[in-house]
Amino acid sequence: MELNRRTVIAGAAAAGLGATTLGGTAHATGGRKPVKTLFGKLADGTKIYSWSLENGGTRLKVLSYGGIVQSLEIPDRRGRYANVSAGFDNIEDYVAESPYFGALIGRYGNRIGQGKFTLDGKNYQLSVNDGEQSLHGGAKGFDKRVWDIEPFTKGSDVGLHLYYTSVDGEMGYPGTLKTKVTYTLTKHGDWRVDYEATTDKATVVNLTSHVYFNLAGEGSGTIEDHELQIAASRYTPTDSGLIPTGELAKVAGTPFDFRKAKPIGRDIRVSHPQLVTAKGFDHNWVLDKGITARPEHIATLRDPASGRTMKIATNEPGLQFYSGNFLDGTLTGPSGRTYRQGDALCLETQHFPDSPNKPSFPSTVLRPGQTYRTTTVHTFGC
């Protein structure tokens, strides 16, 4: 039985439980004003700050570099906290080695084939940084930019407004894009991400978040025993460069069928051509609900051992599930343990990869006078 998370937090507080090696025991808490501390400096001397937030039993740390979620702590069924987000404890590793740990992604999340697209009859060549493809905005995407951050409290919510302006031509993209991302922790401990952007010239936009989750705790090992459910009857198969072919294939009868919750490891080693190419799951699921005016529930992740759950709601039409296939044991997290293949996973809400080159896919075009808006909500339970 899944316990109500607020009941767990309140029960732990009533029992007077003390700190544990997992980072403390959950306690009833209201929103606390975000706290800013120095995290480190870039090579050019730019100071990078960490912002700490807490509300509804959820603890969040965010960096001004890349808008990175450096830590996300939630309690288990016994009220014991753990950081469920993979990352580093220093800015040097984020700059030199990070595979997008916890970062904001833009201008365009996921891949664009050969880094090329045509818009209004004009051809654009983007920064190519993944073989022949442009990945997550190019060699210096939003994940490698310093964001301006303003903290806020609003009623029972606490959060951060993050701002970044991408100039015309940056990484090959047309138009000056003014971007605002809002991280909110609600009184119930939900983590909400609201994305907004405007442009002065027609461009393409696909913003997302690249948190690597392990609900058993960062550095605890494989996520293959996590149970995942995705409300999608189709997915987008890819070619050898992980670019969608344009087909919307049925998940029925394939390892890609997560319509009912199942352990991630159940089918991950099945000899399916798509799994062989990607070395696991690294695909876009076509959400049954399509594009919606408000966020709707589309996925649930659960760790049976700890009881932690995460439900995701979004108004986006797609979800990229990446099973940490390229983690190779060369990166070390705050726990002092290395990250190996399948030690964390990503669930990135999005428009479909390579949409600018696939007329049948939902459009990612943004024009002057329009405002790009999308929201994703993470609801935690135990």
Side-chain angles (χ1 to χ4, degrees):
M1 178 179 69
E2 182 180 325
L3 299 178
N4 182 288
R5 181 167 181 265
R6 279 167 279 175
T7 301
V8 170
I9 293 172
L17 297 176
T20 74
T21 56
L22 290 177
T25 302
H27 56 280
T29 177
R32 298 182 182 179
K33 184 177 180 180
V35 176
K36 177 183 179 182
T37 58
L38 181 65
F39 185 74
K41 295 181 181 180
L42 301 181
D44 65 2
T46 301
K47 294 180 179 179
I48 302 301
Y49 293 97
S50 170
W51 289 87
S52 299
L53 301 80
E54 183 172 356
N55 202 9
T58 298
R59 302 167 179 170
L60 182 68
K61 289 186 179 180
V62 177
L63 303 183
S64 55
Y65 180 80
I68 287 169
V69 172
Q70 194 260 336
S71 176
L72 174 61
E73 295 183 71
I74 58 175
D76 66 8
R77 61 166 64 91
R78 296 176 61 185
R80 299 176 301 179
Y81 275 102
N83 172 22
V84 300
S85 173
F88 301 114
D89 59 7
N90 64 88
I91 190 60
E92 292 79 12
D93 283 348
Y94 278 112
V95 172
E97 300 186 291
S98 181
Y100 306 99
F101 280 151
L104 286 175
I105 301 298
R107 290 188 190 189
Y108 191 94
N110 220 299
R111 295 173 174 86
I112 294 179
Q114 297 183 323
K116 298 179 181 180
F117 69 93
T118 301
L119 180 58
D120 295 338
K122 185 173 180 178
N123 298 324
Y124 292 94
Q125 176 63 61
L126 307 175
S127 166
V128 172
N129 61 325
D130 182 46
E132 297 180 348
Q133 327 304 345
S134 182
L135 175 64
H136 294 328
K140 193 174 181 181
F142 287 6
D143 61 294
K144 297 178 179 65
R145 305 291 178 173
V146 178
W147 292 68
D148 294 323
I149 297 182
E150 293 180 357
F152 70 88
T153 58
K154 183 178 181 182
S156 58
D157 295 342
V158 299
L160 304 170
H161 297 306
L162 299 92
Y163 301 92
Y164 177 69
T165 296
S166 176
V167 300
D168 184 21
E170 187 174 276
M171 296 294 104
Y173 288 90
T176 295
L177 191 79
K178 294 183 177 181
T179 307
K180 175 184 177 182
V181 179
T182 301
Y183 288 162
T184 303
L185 289 185
T186 73
K187 66 179 180 180
H188 300 308
D190 298 345
W191 173 41
R192 178 183 175 113
V193 186
D194 293 285
Y195 306 85
E196 298 179 32
T198 59
T199 184
D200 62 358
K201 185 186 297 185
T203 190
V204 294
V205 185
N206 190 25
L207 306 180
T208 191
S209 171
H210 209 291
V211 174
Y212 282 69
F213 294 102
N214 185 323
L215 296 186
E218 176 272 328
S220 64
T222 184
I223 48 81
E224 290 190 10
D225 54 355
H226 282 36
E227 297 170 353
L228 178 64
Q229 177 270 331
I230 305 174
S233 302
R234 295 179 182 271
Y235 77 105
T236 53
T238 66
D239 62 19
S240 60
L242 300 182
I243 299 297
T245 62
E247 179 186 5
L248 304 182
K250 293 181 179 180
V251 300
T254 78
F256 296 86
D257 192 349
F258 284 90
R259 290 174 295 176
K260 293 183 179 179
K262 68 177 181 180
I264 290 168
R266 176 180 296 176
D267 297 325
I268 199 169
R269 303 189 192 285
V270 171
S271 183
H272 186 285
Q274 287 291 307
L275 292 180
V276 172
T277 297
K279 297 181 173 59
F281 296 107
D282 191 5
H283 296 78
N284 170 70
W285 270 254
V286 180
L287 301 174
D288 290 340
K289 70 172 188 63
I291 300 173
T292 48
R294 295 183 178 183
E296 294 185 8
H297 173 244
I298 53 92
T300 299
L301 182 68
R302 177 176 181 268
D303 170 40
S306 68
R308 294 186 184 93
T309 64
M310 179 178 68
K311 295 182 179 180
I312 297 178
T314 187
N315 48 15
E316 287 292 286
L319 178 73
Q320 186 82 9
F321 165 37
Y322 168 57
S323 55
N325 313 329
F326 299 104
L327 299 175
D328 60 4
T330 61
L331 305 178
T332 302
S335 62
R337 297 176 65 85
T338 60
Y339 298 133
R340 298 188 180 278
Q341 186 179 55
D343 279 356
L345 63 88
C346 301
L347 296 168
E348 305 155 67
T349 55
Q350 62 180 12
H351 271 51
F352 305 167
D354 204 37
S355 290
N357 297 311
K358 301 289 191 300
S360 62
F361 285 2
S363 174
T364 54
V365 175
L366 179 68
R367 298 185 180 278
Q370 298 177 336
T371 300
Y372 171 98
R373 289 190 177 92
T374 182
T375 298
T376 297
V377 182
H378 307 78
T379 300
F380 304 106
C382 49

